Amino acid sequence: MLLARLGYSVIVREKQTFPRAHAGESLPPSILPILGRLGVREAVEGAGFLRPRGAHVLWSGDSPEWAGTSGDQPGFQVDRARFDQILLDAAIAAGARLLPAASADSIGAEARMAVDASGRRRVMSPRAEAFAPETLAVYAYWRQPEGMSPETLVEAGTHHWYWGAPLPDGTFNATVFVSPIEFAGRSAGELYGAKLRESILMGPHCLERVSPILVCDATPRVCSAPLVTANRIMAGESAFSIDPLSSQGVMAAMRSGIHAAAAVHTILAHADCALAAEFIESRARATVRSHARLAARGYRDSGRESAFWRERSSCRWPAVEAGPIPGLDSSVTLAEGVALRGVPFLAGDRIVAVDGIAGGSLEEPMVELGGHSVASLLRPVANRPCSARDLLEIWSRRMPARDAVRVFEHLWKAGVLATSRCA
Ligand SMILES: Cc1cc2nc3c(=O)[nH]c(=O)nc-3n(C[C@H](O)[C@H](O)[C@H](O)COP(=O)(O)OP(=O)(O)OC[C@H]3O[C@@H](n4cnc5c(N)ncnc54)[C@H](O)[C@@H]3O)c2cc1C
């Protein structure tokens, strides 16, 4: 859609005939700005999807708790067949040409650039690394009971967890997330039935099944190959997939698509493949790691101790522990590895290099903080240490003193600043 709007000749090769069913129906309200950016917000809001204001969550205690969405706007329970059709229609309206039921397995040299948006299939680079324990989703659709409210249901089980969502077509998706070892010696039907019988929240809504029982991979994975080369780019779940616990997979995939479009434009119109690649890789790394930490915290919060929960409660990228904020007389400098340099930045439809910082323990470059250029804030400590007091004094000429303290604390906790022995 975005590339067609920029005037490129775009061909969409989609293997399935749309509209087609797809798992992943709960969307948080934070997807609204992305829908707005793509110009499809009105169409999605007007499509008659359900609008939940939160979820009933039975996670660590004995009774369900209410987890409301932040802000005024409700999220969505969408029918993915229609939601994805709205996106495809918008791409076609923008000028993209759809080759119906066309596989992308054999993209030839006819395209200057190929975007692999084939989801977990990753047709152009199938190898991916799991960054959390292997997980399968076992799910089916049930006839929704009369008068069911639109909220998501989330529940922790002994060696698994449940996600349930009423959908706009009058069905209810009940999903169980399990480790593959649970399948040993039993069929998907036996496993699913046994798990649903243990559930407190799902049971009352699972009386009449209207679909087969389906199984799919739900393991968080990241593509093993470079995400960007001079003639192909991985986007959406082809690049990385996050733990479904956050219900943010669609949002992350769409944001990745927006970034991919900017990267393609940067490569084709501005011949800067290295800048585009650094942007895409660093954004993917930051998203994967922050979601991995979020999911691990979610599993830990359940307080459960079976292997299923224990294995998912730790993250291979723990948050940086910055230590106590240094006093005013401490001498501070840039932390090891952090450098002031030109870093990639998304500016409208393309990626440009702007002054910023990167390296060290930063997962992605940093350009602005509270409306101030981070590079210009850090210039006083770029080549020599400076006392915290002097740095705050310099910053206080540009912003209120309390904001300067907040900026200092933020940069310290992010691992950008370190103390130095000599002032
Ligand atoms: C069980 C489960 C529950 C989930 N729940 C949620 C949720 O509640 N909320 C949420 O936001 N996310 C959820 N997700 C994640 C969400 O579904 C994905 O993040 C999202 O669909 C990824 O979008 P995508 O466009 O990258 O890939 P997909 O949506 O998978 O689209 C890929 C497209 O590529 C096509 N394709 C595949 N191979 C080829 C080929 N060879 N040639 C041509 N076309 C091809 C497919 O037909 C498909 O249309 C869930 C995921 C799972 C597994």
Side-chain angles (χ1 to χ4, degrees), residues 143-161:
R143 192 172 308 287
Q144 207 179 98
E146 201 67 24
M148 187 175 184
S149 64
E151 284 78 35
T152 308
L153 306 177
V154 182
E155 179 179 350
T158 43
H159 310 288
H160 54 278
W161 63 278

Side-chain angles (χ1 to χ4, degrees), residues 184-199:
R186 54 180 171 174
S187 68
E190 285 165 342
L191 173 66
Y192 188 62
K195 296 296 184 195
L196 282 189
R197 279 191 293 281
E198 282 178 37
S199 159

Side-chain angles (χ1 to χ4, degrees), residues 8 105 132 162 201 231 239 246 274 329 343 352 367 373:
Y8 290 98
D105 289 356
Y162 306 89
L201 296 185
N231 56 12
S246 70
D329 294 325
V343 297
V352 294
V367 170
S373 153

Side-chain angles (χ1 to χ4, degrees), residues 41 57 93 105 157 167 220 230 265 288 291 297 326 365 387-388 399:
R41 180 170 169 160
V57 182
D105 289 356
L167 299 176
H265 186 43
V288 159
H291 275 279
R297 193 163 65 233
S387 80
M399 62 182 97

Side-chain angles (χ1 to χ4, degrees), residues 53-311:
R53 291 200 168 267
H56 298 284
V57 182
L58 180 50
W59 204 243
S60 55
D62 297 329
S63 50
E65 287 176 9
W66 171 246
T69 50
S70 51
D72 316 333
Q73 296 286 341
F76 296 90
Q77 309 284 22
V78 302
D79 159 8
R80 280 290 297 275
R82 276 199 293 141
F83 179 79
D84 290 14
Q85 181 78 58
I86 290 172
L87 299 181
L88 182 59
D89 287 347
I92 293 167
R97 277 181 298 144
L98 171 68
L99 293 190
S103 171
D105 289 356
S106 58
I107 291 259
E110 73 271 21
R112 285 166 71 202
M113 192 76 186
V115 180
D116 186 342
S118 61
R120 286 170 182 259
R121 278 287 316 280
R122 298 178 185 90
V123 291
M124 291 170 206
S125 192
R127 280 193 43 242
E129 185 195 354
F131 60 87
E134 302 266 339
T135 303
L136 292 173
V138 192
Y139 64 104
Y141 294 86
W142 302 76
R143 192 172 308 287
Q144 207 179 98
E146 201 67 24
M148 187 175 184
S149 64
E151 284 78 35
T152 308
L153 306 177
V154 182
E155 179 179 350
T158 43
H159 310 288
H160 54 278
W161 63 278
Y162 306 89
W163 171 88
L167 299 176
D169 65 355
T171 61
F172 173 71
N173 176 340
T175 302
V176 189
F177 292 92
V178 295
S179 157
I181 54 170
E182 293 257 10
F183 275 86
R186 54 180 171 174
S187 68
E190 285 165 342
L191 173 66
Y192 188 62
K195 296 296 184 195
L196 282 189
R197 279 191 293 281
E198 282 178 37
S199 159
I200 294 167
L201 296 185
M202 304 291 142
H205 311 297
C206 299
L207 301 175
E208 189 189 343
R209 186 156 56 80
V210 294
S211 81
I213 295 166
L214 304 157
V215 180
C216 70
D217 181 48
T219 310
R221 295 180 198 275
V222 58
C223 175
S224 305
L227 300 181
V228 180
T229 69
N231 56 12
R232 74 113 182 84
I233 181 163
M234 312 296 285
E237 282 206 329
S238 287
F240 58 84
S241 50
I242 57 176
D243 196 297
L245 193 55
S246 70
S247 286
Q248 292 185 14
V250 170
M251 193 169 81
M254 291 178 74
R255 191 176 286 130
S256 150
I258 292 172
H259 293 165
V264 171
H265 186 43
T266 304
I267 294 169
L268 295 183
H270 305 283
D272 203 338
C273 187
L275 191 71
E278 187 187 354
F279 178 79
I280 293 291
E281 295 285 355
S282 62
R283 292 304 302 251
R285 184 167 58 236
T287 307
V288 159
R289 292 182 183 193
S290 67
H291 275 279
R293 285 194 280 270
L294 193 71
R297 193 163 65 233
Y299 289 110
R300 257 195 320 275
D301 286 349
S302 78
R304 286 164 200 263
E305 286 176 357
S306 72
F308 176 90
W309 293 94
R310 228 179 23 251
E311 286 165 4

